[in-house]
Amino acid sequence: RQALDFDQYMEMLQVFHGGYTHANRWYIGDTIEGEIDCYDFASSYPFCMLACKFPMEKFTPIENCSWQFILNNKDDYAFAFKFIATNIELKSDREPMPALQFSKCEKTVNAILDNGRILAANYVEIYLSEMDLAVIMDQYTIKGKHICSCSG
């Protein structure tokens, strides 16, 4: 009952974004004296598997799904969808790790990049999950937002 068909599998591949890593653009080429700490989130994986909620049934299409609906229900439900944004840009130039990955976008127009991350663009089309959307809405100002191909 949980097995995905081919189309669902291909969509989930697009939604999956992998590890969350990025160099801080403000420190490129700088040498820092003293002790530097590095943190690895990999050790949190077993905890997340036990403590967090995960979908336990097949995703089904949701008609007329909005970004507000997704954000309002993200704590209780999982979503996979195509997100289309127009006139998008970081709220703060001091954001060390922008969430939008250029390599995962289906389409972009006039994207300004930093090490593969989108700082601003006139148009972005990307597959996301509900948690990705929450981070993007927190980091970016977006004039136009549209959800399509939503399932949950």
Side-chain angles (χ1 to χ4, degrees):
R1 292 186 333 203
Q2 291 176 298
L4 303 173
D5 63 31
F6 179 76
D7 292 333
Q8 290 169 325
Y9 176 76
M10 296 307 290
E11 183 176 317
M12 291 302 161
L13 281 179
Q14 292 173 305
V15 170
F16 177 72
H17 289 211
Y20 195 59
T21 61
H22 185 266
N24 187 324
R25 65 186 177 179
W26 303 117
Y27 294 105
I28 293 174
D30 288 351
T31 303
I32 301 172
E33 290 188 32
E35 189 174 318
I36 298 174
D37 291 328
C38 178
Y39 298 97
D40 184 0
F41 294 117
S43 60
S44 68
Y45 180 75
F47 170 78
C48 289
M49 293 301 293
L50 294 172
C52 298
K53 296 179 183 179
F54 293 93
M56 293 305 297
E57 55 190 57
K58 192 183 270 191
F59 280 58
T60 56
I62 300 172
E63 298 297 324
N64 302 318
C65 190
S66 70
W67 61 271
Q68 297 100 327
F69 178 81
I70 292 169
L71 292 179
N72 289 339
N73 292 283
K74 69 177 173 43
D75 293 333
D76 296 317
Y77 298 98
F79 298 90
F81 52 91
K82 183 185 280 189
F83 181 64
I84 298 172
T86 57
N87 300 316
I88 183 168
E89 66 179 290
L90 276 177
K91 289 179 181 177
S92 170
D93 280 340
R94 300 191 52 80
E95 180 61 55
M97 196 180 309
L100 272 174
Q101 299 178 63
F102 179 74
S103 64
K104 295 301 287 187
C105 290
E106 293 280 302
K107 297 176 186 170
T108 63
V109 175
N110 297 328
I112 300 169
L113 304 179
D114 170 53
N115 196 23
R117 300 295 176 137
I118 297 176
L119 304 178
N122 291 86
Y123 180 89
V124 170
E125 192 173 305
I126 187 170
Y127 280 89
L128 300 174
S129 72
E130 72 284 357
M131 300 314 292
D132 298 324
L133 180 63
V135 172
I136 288 167
M137 296 297 286
D138 185 54
Q139 289 185 355
Y140 293 85
T141 58
I142 308 168
K143 294 276 183 354
K145 301 174 269 301
H146 182 70
I147 303 292
C148 55
S149 302
C150 184
S151 59

